[in-house]
Amino acid sequence: MRRPSLFKTFTLLCFIIVVVYIFSVNNRTAKISNNELKTDFSLPPPQPVSQKTVENTITISFVVCDSRFNESLNVVKSVLLFTKSPVRFIIFSDENLKNKFEDTLKAWQKLARYRLTYEIHDIKFPKAHEKDWLNLFSKCAAQRLFIPDLVPHIDTMIYVDTDTLFLGPAEVLWQKFTEFNSSQISAMALEDDNPNVSWYPRFAKHPFYGQYGLNSGVMLMNLTRMRNFGWVDYVTPIMLKWKLYIPWGDQDIINIIFHYHPGAVRVLSCRHNYRPDQCMYGDACARAAAGVSVLHASRRAAHNNKQPAFQAIYRAIDEYEIGGDPRQVVLNMDKYLTAAPDSYCGNMKDAFLKLPLQILTPDVR
């Protein structure tokens, strides 16, 4: 039998090397395999989370572009109204809004007796797909997906959409980090727990968390764990694969990730992300009876006439001046809710006022 020629042997060896190289490059550059995402997940090495690991200063973050400036200021107002701990705001903003934030927040620092600190960061997306990211859902909304790598000095934060308002102390949500097990990197409320109402089981054309999906309007983020997880490495491949099927943009990408890593997310009560969906057809959040902690006026509920109860609460906080009498906010909430047209959400007045009354007018109770 003749031995293979040296040329053939060399050619075969080169072919094998090329195949191995291509395979390794593809494996490194795409976190999504034929099975979508890796389904085995463990954080290195697990460390118990205790109250000592949570900073005394609460960190809250939001992203602001275009016309959301005034709305975002009301987020800050609401936090300062109900929170005693010092608060650090991490703000990602358009260039044209930076000076407005600086002027306003510097003035508020003195009025809030320096319980308020802040950082203002540029909007920053990967150059390779910057246009895709900017146009995903709404301008700048997807910035939140890249936060773990943009603020490497921050360990944990509460991320909120600019259409949210705190009606209770941020300390309550902040302490939820101490309840994380060793695998959890984030916490959010369900989109809804009714399959006849929740958008995801009815309309989604992509994978989503559990039976009902997650709403990301309020998102607790352990950034250190998210960096260890490789969070930012996931988001661009997912966006490119699913961009024609993710109408809610960054929220849908978050749902896809946690579909394959359900053990990495902790589910919050609906009272910590209370949206019109929880009341527009009747009471769909039994735990709200303990008091709505964070109101989420999604789908412009604070700015149109579809949800007058949400408008009433937003108006009361919008009219509040930092340094003024906070008790007036509760009085105005009560007055505006009473005057609002009847609605199912208006029937939740007691749940909306429960925590503000406890915190701002304890002597009246």
Side-chain angles (χ1 to χ4, degrees), residues 53-193:
T53 65
V54 180
E55 294 182 49
N56 291 327
T57 299
I58 296 170
T59 302
I60 296 176
S61 181
F62 52 78
V63 175
V64 192
C65 281
D66 298 334
S67 61
R68 299 280 189 167
F69 176 73
N70 288 334
E71 194 175 69
S72 68
L73 290 183
N74 286 329
V75 175
V76 179
K77 282 184 185 181
S78 70
V79 172
L80 294 177
L81 269 168
F82 300 110
T83 304
K84 294 181 179 180
S85 300
V87 184
R88 170 176 52 192
F89 287 92
I90 307 293
I91 301 169
F92 293 86
S93 169
D94 266 351
E95 186 65 34
N96 63 317
L97 296 179
K98 283 186 174 182
N99 289 337
K100 295 172 71 174
F101 272 119
E102 286 283 356
D103 293 343
T104 303
L105 295 180
K106 276 185 180 178
W108 285 5
Q109 276 185 316
K110 296 178 182 179
L111 294 171
R113 299 179 181 178
Y114 296 95
R115 287 188 297 119
L116 159 67
T117 57
Y118 62 91
E119 299 176 16
I120 302 175
H121 295 265
D122 292 327
I123 299 295
K124 187 176 181 180
F125 289 112
K127 291 295 182 183
H129 303 286
E130 186 174 22
K131 187 174 181 181
D132 286 319
W133 287 118
L134 281 169
N135 295 321
L136 193 69
F137 184 54
S138 63
K139 185 181 178 183
C140 301
Q143 180 72 105
R144 161 250 298 274
L145 297 174
F146 297 92
I147 286 178
D149 284 2
L150 295 176
V151 285
H153 60 294
I154 303 295
D155 177 62
T156 47
M157 67 165 52
I158 302 170
Y159 176 91
V160 295
D161 287 348
T162 58
D163 55 4
T164 56
L165 295 169
F166 281 75
L167 299 183
E171 288 94 341
V172 173
L173 271 181
W174 192 243
Q175 288 304 310
K176 294 294 180 184
F177 283 110
T178 69
E179 300 173 10
F180 280 27
N181 65 31
S182 61
S183 294
Q184 290 168 340
I185 66 175
S186 181
M188 283 168 280
L190 296 175
E191 176 71 14
D192 203 288
D193 59 4

Side-chain angles (χ1 to χ4, degrees), residues 224-244:
T224 298
R225 291 183 174 194
M226 294 175 83
R227 287 186 282 266
N228 291 339
F229 175 76
W231 178 272
V232 171
D233 294 333
Y234 278 130
V235 295
T236 295
I238 292 174
M239 182 272 291
L240 294 174
K241 179 178 177 64
W242 294 99
K243 65 180 179 179
L244 298 179

Side-chain angles (χ1 to χ4, degrees), residues 185-284:
I185 66 175
S186 181
M188 283 168 280
L190 296 175
E191 176 71 14
D192 203 288
D193 59 4
N194 183 339
N196 297 317
V197 176
S198 182
W199 186 89
Y200 284 99
R202 293 186 296 155
F203 304 115
K205 296 181 179 179
H206 60 79
F208 55 88
Y209 173 83
Q211 291 181 276
Y212 309 113
L214 297 163
N215 185 281
S216 61
V218 178
M219 183 177 182
L220 275 60
M221 304 171 73
N222 186 315
L223 299 178
T224 298
R225 291 183 174 194
M226 294 175 83
R227 287 186 282 266
N228 291 339
F229 175 76
W231 178 272
V232 171
D233 294 333
Y234 278 130
V235 295
T236 295
I238 292 174
M239 182 272 291
L240 294 174
K241 179 178 177 64
W242 294 99
K243 65 180 179 179
L244 298 179
Y245 305 99
I246 48 174
W248 306 120
D250 55 317
Q251 177 172 290
D252 290 339
I253 290 173
I254 290 167
N255 266 279
I256 292 170
I257 292 175
F258 288 123
H259 171 83
Y260 293 101
H261 300 284
V265 65
R266 185 178 186 86
V267 175
L268 295 174
S269 165
C270 48
R271 64 187 287 262
H272 299 308
N273 183 359
Y274 194 92
R275 296 171 294 114
D277 303 64
Q278 265 78 56
C279 56
M280 60 193 298
Y281 303 114
D283 183 8

